[in-house]
Amino acid sequence: MAMGLGEELARWLSGCRTLVVMGIGNPLRRDDAVGLELVRALRGRVPEGVVLLECGPVPENLLGQVRRARPSHVLLVDAAELGARPGEARLIGPDRIRGVAISTHKPPLHITAGYIKRTMGAEVALLAIQPADTGFGEGLTPELEEAVAALADAVSEALRTSLSRSAPGAPEA
């Protein structure tokens, strides 16, 4: 899971100058909070040029902060129904976000993604993570806790690799 995803993420980040990672989810709906938890797990593990935002269930409320960061890339991270094993993650491009069932957000994420791309000119993708339980309650299921740890490793490695190559004056790999 994490190895292929890390490579895919590194490819998507090609040419990235500034990345905003928007962790999305409702902390009162169990695994729906996986986006928030992944952002928390990335704190202190990302290179300069990465802005981590805990958006809760309303990512559109933080669009002003996203705009101020002047991102070249925006990664939305959220629980999504992928028909996969709990904790499995996929990187989904902006053209396919509309087709992904995401549990608790209004407006739908494809509208937020389109707005970011249209008004800020940033590349946008969704890191979609299959939940096990989005019923009422707090805390991730054990499967999602394990997935967050593995994903934090894969994402932080992809960011270090990609952003060090993309930095001005960085040697070509």
Side-chain angles (χ1 to χ4, degrees):
M1 166 191 72
M3 192 57 136
L5 179 67
E7 292 167 359
E8 194 176 350
L9 187 57
R11 259 193 316 276
W12 178 72
L13 288 166
S14 175
C16 181
R17 295 176 316 282
T18 302
L19 170 68
V20 173
V21 181
M22 300 177 72
I24 301 164
N26 185 337
L28 301 178
R29 301 283 308 257
R30 300 284 322 238
D31 292 343
D32 189 58
V34 70
L36 301 170
E37 292 300 328
L38 183 56
V39 163
R40 290 174 186 148
L42 289 171
R43 293 222 183 272
R45 298 182 63 184
V46 296
E48 195 174 322
V50 177
V51 176
L52 300 172
L53 297 176
E54 292 180 38
C55 299
V58 284
E60 60 275 13
N61 286 353
L62 277 81
L63 290 174
Q65 288 183 47
V66 175
R67 181 181 302 283
R68 283 189 293 281
R70 302 169 61 118
S72 61
H73 291 66
V74 175
L75 181 64
L76 308 169
V77 183
D78 198 7
E81 185 52 54
L82 302 170
R85 288 183 341 270
E88 189 173 319
R90 295 188 189 137
L91 189 64
I92 298 174
D95 52 327
R96 292 185 28 235
I97 293 174
R98 179 184 285 264
V100 177
I102 300 171
S103 55
T104 61
H105 316 298
K106 305 282 185 223
L109 276 187
H110 75 272
I111 291 173
T112 302
Y115 177 83
I116 291 168
K117 185 159 185 60
R118 194 173 54 258
T119 65
M120 300 177 210
E123 295 297 320
V124 181
L126 168 66
L127 180 57
I129 305 165
Q130 175 68 50
D133 178 4
T134 57
F136 288 106
E138 294 183 45
L140 298 179
T141 58
E143 300 97 325
L144 273 280
E145 285 180 4
E146 285 180 29
V148 164
L151 288 168
D153 289 344
V155 170
S156 62
E157 179 59 31
L159 292 174
R160 274 194 302 278
T161 302
S162 301
L163 295 183
S164 65
R165 271 194 231 136
S166 301
E172 291 297 314

